[in-house]
Amino acid sequence: HQNINVALIGNPNTGKTSVFNQLTGLNQQVGNYPGITVDKKLGFCKLPNNIKANILDLPGTYSLNASSIDENVVIELLLNKNDKLFPDVAVVVTDVENLKRNLLLFTQIKDLEIPTILVINMADRMKRKGIFLDIPFLEEQLKTKIVLVSTRQGIGISDLKNAIVDYKNLSTEPCLNSSTIDTEYFDKLRKAFPNQLLYKLWLVITQDVNFLNLERNEIRSSFTKSHSDLKRLQQKETIKRYQFINDTLKIGQKIDVTKATDIRAKLDRILTHKVFGYLIFFGILLLIFQS
Ligand code: GDP
Ligand code: MG
């Protein structure tokens, strides 16, 4: 039968290309700076039970509110169900040290109702930084399968393969419903376009870029909402998403610097305290000398 389509999606520098290399056995260049993957790269992967997968390494993107060409590559793929490479499963790759920021994109992908796996990469850094994750809690809140990975130590890759094979059992439930953002407005949208995925519409109308022009103009002309209203909605969406992410991480993630084994993480903490201490000390000295 057909290969499973897997798309690797995530913020720049989260380790997408490293995961791609481990899955495919290829050796794409891994970068220390963002934006090195300028277009999608395709590779193949043999999974358990003789199943095969097409693995797509996509350019890094911060959100689906496209503003750059890199981000458009991702959005165009995700909005086009007829694309030969339209993902059966989206693997969102995140960096354990930047979970909060990375999860914004994750919640947007989830809301497209595509089967999604959340890879939390760089797991080798958790101990050093004193990061503790409550994986079952996070899985429940984010309605997703989570795989802890360290491409550096080769940990979690076989778990990821198993999760991909099992993609039909992945949840497609959105974790944040767009309608919680502006109920009245989205009710109107839903009524006007009953056959289209609500989130797709949301993306199309909030794009400033030049694709899907036709659809967008059609939708725009159907609504009297001004452009600034749409922008405001987009900001509202981002705020709502971060509220949700903050609430989730408050319980699901503990960062205890005192337990960090990395000396630098500890020093950072001590130094910021010391710097403040010195500033106050010298401030007082200055006051004494001036008076
Ligand atoms: P991409 O921009 O998402 O494709 O990320 P890359 O695969 O290019 O990796 C970005 C940086 O993260 C590189 O310097 C990698 O060496 C590093 N990196 C990737 N995976 C891991 C990991 O599991 N642990 C650690 N410590 N670093 C990693
Ligand atoms: Mg890359």
Side-chain angles (χ1 to χ4, degrees):
H1 51 65
Q2 275 199 324
N3 293 2
I4 301 173
N5 282 336
V6 178
L8 297 172
I9 305 170
N11 290 182
N13 260 331
T14 52
K16 294 174 299 298
T17 301
S18 303
V19 171
F20 176 88
N21 287 343
Q22 298 227 333
L23 286 176
T24 61
L26 292 176
N27 205 6
Q28 289 292 339
Q29 197 180 356
V30 166
N32 280 314
Y33 52 94
I36 192 152
T37 312
V38 286
D39 201 355
K40 41 191 186 218
K41 296 246 161 50
L42 183 62
F44 304 94
C45 174
K46 276 190 187 163
L47 299 166
N49 308 331
N50 265 337
I51 295 168
K52 285 185 206 131
N54 301 320
I55 313 288
L56 201 55
D57 185 17
L58 290 162
T61 174
Y62 287 106
S63 75
L64 291 182
N65 311 329
S67 53
S68 75
I69 291 169
D70 279 3
E71 286 169 333
N72 281 348
V73 173
V74 178
I75 291 163
E76 260 179 291
L77 175 74
L78 292 180
L79 291 187
N80 187 5
K81 279 213 159 118
N82 299 322
D83 195 307
K84 266 192 305 211
L85 290 172
F86 184 85
D88 296 304
V89 48
V91 174
V92 179
V93 182
T94 56
D95 167 2
V96 71
E97 284 191 68
N98 292 298
L99 259 191
K100 189 190 287 185
R101 179 156 48 93
N102 293 175
L103 283 176
L104 177 73
L105 176 67
F106 170 82
T107 67
Q108 289 187 321
I109 307 277
K110 266 301 269 180
D111 291 358
L112 288 172
E113 298 175 18
I114 298 170
T116 304
I117 298 169
L118 175 59
V119 163
I120 303 181
N121 188 31
M122 318 223 184
D124 53 285
R125 294 211 169 130
M126 291 173 71
K127 223 174 160 186
R128 285 169 43 198
K129 301 281 173 168
I131 301 173
F132 300 88
L133 297 177
D134 182 343
I135 300 291
F137 175 82
L138 292 173
E139 283 188 326
E140 193 192 324
Q141 290 298 305
L142 301 170
K143 301 188 176 77
T144 186
K145 168 86 186 151
I146 296 178
V147 184
L148 268 177
V149 169
S150 165
T151 61
R152 188 153 288 181
Q153 298 181 332
I155 290 169
I157 295 297
S158 63
D159 293 341
L160 176 58
K161 286 183 181 173
N162 289 331
I164 294 170
V165 169
D166 209 24
Y167 78 96
K168 284 197 172 132
N169 290 322
L170 295 172
S171 154
T172 52
E173 216 182 321
C175 49
L176 245 114
N177 201 320
S178 325
S179 62
T180 61
I181 294 162
D182 188 329
T183 318
E184 193 195 342
Y185 176 63
F186 280 104
D187 278 350
K188 273 191 210 163
L189 273 182
R190 215 192 305 262
K191 269 184 203 133
F193 300 96
N195 299 323
Q196 294 217 41
L197 183 65
L198 192 63
Y199 197 82
K200 182 169 166 174
L201 283 167
W202 165 255
L203 289 172
V204 170
I205 52 174
T206 52
Q207 300 314 310
D208 272 335
V209 287
N210 246 350
F211 74 96
L212 294 171
N213 245 331
L214 219 169
E215 265 181 83
R216 188 166 68 238
N217 289 336
E218 212 175 284
I219 292 161
R220 280 228 168 104
S221 63
S222 308
F223 289 92
T224 50
K225 281 254 172 195
S226 70
H227 188 68
S228 64
D229 271 349
L230 291 174
K231 275 276 161 208
R232 213 169 325 120
L233 273 176
Q234 201 171 42
Q235 285 160 5
K236 231 168 148 181
E237 180 209 351
T238 306
I239 291 167
K240 283 274 176 189
R241 287 187 188 284
Y242 274 126
Q243 275 171 356
F244 169 75
I245 292 164
N246 276 335
D247 290 347
T248 304
L249 288 183
K250 219 176 269 167
I251 300 172
Q253 176 187 249
K254 296 267 177 295
I255 301 177
D256 186 348
V257 197
T258 60
K259 294 219 169 73
T261 57
D262 183 34
I263 296 177
R264 245 190 321 180
K266 270 192 180 158
L267 269 183
D268 276 355
R269 169 96 166 195
I270 296 163
L271 275 180
T272 42
H273 282 300
K274 277 225 170 119
V275 168
F276 276 119
Y278 283 130
L279 278 179
I280 292 165
F281 178 71
F282 284 115
I284 292 168
L285 271 189
L286 208 73
L287 279 177
I288 292 169
F289 275 114
Q290 279 195 336
S291 57

